[in-house]
Amino acid sequence: MKGFLPGIVSAFSVIMLLSCFFPQTACAYTGQVSEELKAPCLYATGLTWDGKHLWVCDWKEACAFEVDPSTGELISSVELPCLRPQDIAYANGFLFVCSGYEPFIYKLELASRTVVETFPTPESTPSALGWDGEYLWLADSGTDMIYKLNPVDGTTINYFKAPAVQTEGLASDGHYLWAADRVRDELYMLDPDDGTVIMVVKSPGEYPTGLVFDGKWLWNVDFEDDVLYRLNYDDGESVYVTDDNDRQVTFVHELTNMGPGTVTEAGVFLAVPEDSFPGQCLLEPIVFEPEPTRFDADEWGQKIAVYEFEDLRPGETRAVNYVAKARIGMRRFCIFPHKVGELKNIPSSIMKRYVVDGSRYRISEPLIEKTARQIVGDEKNPYWMARRICQWVQDHVEYEMVGGWDIAETLIKRGTGSCSEYSFLYIALCRAAGLPARFEGSVVVRGDDACIDDVFHRWCEVYLPGYGWIPVDPSGGDRPLPADQAKSFGMLVNRFLITTRGGGDSKYLGWNYNYNYKFSYIGKVNVVADAFALWEPLEENE
């Protein structure tokens, strides 16, 4: 049998590599470009839809051009009634027009080419217009706010903070509001009630401006490229992976007995990275040095490399490590909240496993139960339950690495915590509200491609019926801008090699992730444990 072992390993490596070469981006996903048309002008800043054709606004020429969306053919044009028009919105035979130079909205009747109404904007620097079938939407670049307006006289119905720093396109898809940010080069899907960012999509060009939905496709015009991009809206793909890169990680654990006594027995337990994590693919089998005493799995199904040592004398160090070569991509979920199922749709096996209590959660404590009820209120949609809890944690906790990992209740009282404590609190509140939740742990790229990580990172996953397990990073998303907060929900960047997935206390890892260790001794000892990850980029020829 020994003679066949190299062939078996080689075949296994080939299978792993082949699985990595079938990218999850092969299917259509929200924001993916499906068609490109040349814009009819050189300074396109606005875009709208009249039910049959696109209209493109030219900033320099102060004109709007009617375009056939199937061919890009120019059909007609109309002169606009203001200097430097920023955006346009079509509604029932009229074009609403705004300019960044004038604090007014103009209502232009297309049939007669006549301005029939003019009313002031809420602020002085309007930057985008949209129409949802009943109301106008206006973004202002000076205040970074988005306003819902009465189309009759421009009075404000509602307003909220814009997702980022420079909104230059607005559109409604019938359920949600979309915004284009030309500084971040991103498109955002928003809750029209309060501006919560639900989805973040990379814009197809480097200067996204006008945005519109035609009933099937999302359209975006780019000022720099002079291109009309037709984008997929919802083709049923809930997750996709982009921006992958190949890296090597050497994870090292050292256990040193400083004496004066003897460590009679010691165990070191390393969480083993696997291919089962979306966006992560092992390019070849992990190499352990030395070979583990054995492999096992904990009660959460986490694979563990178990090392057992005896007689660690004063001054001795036992070091173990593994080398993993992996392709790591950015994972994004395309979640439409109205399509998320009900709590009753969650499999009973998941509810039984991930809505239970734990010593760091203590979900039956009155403070946890009361807080969960106050946060969730009468909300029944699992997506909005999970988002409300995440927002509450970010609003009430500040990031601070102090001491050990305290229980969820202590974090509520103290108001500060590390990434692990954010995770414990989020999971506790989710489970108290009836939402299944668990955690993942990783080693992290710290800035440069070649770097050292000795801090690591932990975040959560919440189960949404119809979508499955969704990454949620309460501490990573604790930032002021709505767009940055949204990137912590349903998105995972390509800086993490995931090693650990768990739901609570583990017989090997305890409440740790990445690794753990235990020892027994005679006399007095001072045992020092050190763990770190060394990152290196893999060359293409590797």
Side-chain angles (χ1 to χ4, degrees):
M1 287 297 293
K2 288 184 178 179
F4 292 97
L5 186 57
I8 293 173
V9 172
S10 176
F12 180 61
S13 301
V14 170
I15 291 171
M16 296 175 75
L17 283 168
L18 285 175
S19 68
C20 291
F21 292 139
F22 289 97
Q24 298 180 45
T25 54
C27 298
Y29 55 86
T30 302
Q32 185 181 41
V33 176
S34 64
E35 186 71 49
E36 296 183 18
L37 299 175
K38 183 68 177 175
C41 53
L42 295 178
Y43 307 99
T45 55
L47 187 63
T48 193
W49 172 256
D50 67 6
K52 185 177 180 181
H53 297 137
L54 294 166
W55 287 82
V56 184
C57 168
D58 185 286
W59 182 85
K60 181 176 180 292
E61 302 300 329
C63 287
F65 299 93
E66 185 181 9
V67 176
D68 186 327
S70 60
T71 64
E73 178 186 354
L74 179 63
I75 297 172
S76 70
S77 64
V78 59
E79 184 178 354
L80 298 178
C82 59
L83 178 69
R84 307 295 185 245
Q86 190 67 33
D87 204 355
I88 52 178
Y90 176 88
N92 306 318
F94 298 91
L95 278 184
F96 289 91
V97 187
C98 73
S99 165
Y101 287 76
E102 303 171 16
F104 297 100
I105 293 176
Y106 302 88
K107 185 177 180 181
L108 174 70
E109 185 181 54
L110 278 175
S112 64
R113 299 318 201 237
T114 302
V115 175
V116 297
E117 194 79 46
T118 302
F119 46 81
T121 57
E123 299 293 342
S124 60
T125 50
S127 57
L129 266 180
W131 173 253
D132 68 4
E134 185 176 2
Y135 296 101
L136 278 173
W137 291 87
L138 177 81
D140 186 89
S141 61
T143 60
D144 291 330
M145 300 294 288
I146 293 176
Y147 301 87
K148 180 180 181 180
L149 305 178
N150 186 326
V152 176
D153 56 11
T155 53
T156 300
I157 307 297
N158 190 19
Y159 63 93
F160 45 74
K161 187 174 178 60
V165 293
Q166 186 68 38
T167 302
E168 294 206 0
L170 287 173
S172 171
D173 64 17
H175 289 284
Y176 309 104
L177 191 67
W178 287 81
D181 189 280
R182 73 99 164 174
V183 174
R184 294 286 191 93
D185 297 333
E186 291 175 333
L187 311 179
Y188 309 109
M189 188 174 83
L190 317 177
D191 178 3
D193 291 332
D194 61 10
T196 298
V197 180
I198 300 166
M199 194 186 307
V200 181
V201 175
K202 181 69 177 174
S203 67
E206 297 298 322
Y207 196 144
T209 53
L211 200 61
V212 75
F213 182 68
D214 69 3
K216 181 180 180 181
W217 308 97
L218 192 64
W219 290 84
N220 177 223
V221 66
D222 192 87
F223 185 84
E224 182 174 318
D225 297 344
D226 300 325
V227 171
L228 283 163
Y229 293 101
R230 191 182 74 180
L231 310 177
N232 289 317
Y233 172 69
D234 178 16
D235 284 339
E237 288 300 312
S238 62
V239 61
Y240 64 100
V241 179
T242 61
D243 303 322
D244 54 16
N245 51 61
D246 296 348
R247 301 179 185 271
Q248 175 176 297
V249 179
T250 302
F251 186 84
V252 180
H253 186 281
E254 297 176 343
L255 199 65
T256 302
N257 180 10
M258 306 300 290
T262 297
V263 173
T264 56
E265 293 181 342
V268 175
F269 315 109
L270 303 184
V272 180
E274 297 188 74
D275 276 325
S276 59
F277 305 120
Q280 177 170 300
C281 179
L282 297 178
L283 299 174
E284 57 186 59
I286 296 175
V287 177
F288 292 86
E289 179 62 37
E291 279 294 313
T293 306
R294 67 180 186 277
F295 289 97
D296 200 357
D298 68 9
E299 52 269 60
W300 304 103
Q302 172 64 50
K303 186 177 180 181
I304 304 291
V306 179
Y307 290 90
E308 296 173 340
F309 304 110
E310 294 181 352
D311 295 328
L312 184 59
R313 299 187 179 280
E316 287 187 339
T317 297
R318 300 292 172 87
V320 300
N321 73 76
Y322 65 74
V323 177
K325 295 181 179 181
R327 179 162 297 152
I328 303 171
M330 177 178 289
R331 184 182 5 155
R332 298 173 188 253
F333 279 82
C334 303
I335 303 172
F336 293 85
H338 68 285
K339 293 187 175 183
V340 174
E342 300 178 22
L343 287 176
K344 66 181 181 181
N345 302 132
I346 299 174
S348 59
S349 59
I350 290 177
M351 293 292 287
K352 183 178 180 180
R353 191 172 179 83
Y354 295 106
V355 189
V356 297
D357 207 350
S359 61
R360 299 290 173 100
Y361 306 141
R362 297 163 63 90
I363 63 176
S364 59
E365 287 296 314
L367 181 59
I368 297 296
E369 291 183 335
K370 177 183 176 182
T371 303
R373 285 196 304 269
Q374 290 176 340
I375 296 169
V376 173
D378 59 359
E379 182 60 63
K380 301 299 182 184
N381 185 306
Y383 175 86
W384 290 116
M385 292 168 66
R387 284 302 300 266
R388 283 188 180 185
I389 294 171
C390 188
Q391 189 65 56
W392 188 93
V393 171
Q394 292 169 348
D395 288 344
H396 290 79
V397 180
E398 293 185 5
Y399 185 84
E400 184 180 17
M401 292 180 62
V402 290
W405 293 333
D406 287 320
I407 62 174
E409 188 177 9
T410 299
L411 198 62
I412 293 176
K413 296 175 181 177
R414 191 177 66 219
T416 61
S418 65
C419 64
S420 287
E421 291 170 307
Y422 271 78
S423 297
F424 297 157
L425 177 57
Y426 183 77
I427 292 170
L429 292 172
C430 281
R431 292 188 180 186
L435 278 173
R438 63 188 185 188
F439 60 78
E440 290 186 326
S442 73
V443 295
V444 186
V445 176
R446 299 290 177 182
D448 298 304
D449 288 340
C451 62
I452 301 169
D453 178 30
D454 58 0
V455 180
F456 316 130
H457 189 50
R458 181 180 347 221
W459 60 90
C460 309
E461 287 189 310
V462 64
Y463 191 91
L464 299 182
Y467 288 90
W469 289 104
I470 306 298
V472 181
D473 190 350
S475 64
D478 196 355
R479 300 181 180 185
L481 287 178
D484 293 331
Q485 294 169 3
K487 291 176 183 178
S488 70
F489 198 102
M491 182 182 297
L492 199 63
V493 297
N494 56 0
R495 298 172 49 235
F496 306 117
L497 177 72
I498 303 170
T499 67
T500 312
R501 177 178 284 162
D505 196 4
S506 160
K507 65 181 180 180
Y508 287 114
L509 298 177
W511 285 91
N512 291 339
Y513 60 100
N514 292 341
Y515 71 95
N516 195 18
Y517 64 94
K518 298 178 181 178
F519 60 90
S520 57
Y521 57 93
I522 296 175
K524 296 180 179 180
V525 297
N526 178 16
V527 175
V528 177
D530 192 17
F532 52 89
L534 304 172
W535 287 87
E536 301 174 54
L538 285 178
E539 301 297 332
E540 290 187 6
N541 59 7
E542 293 188 52

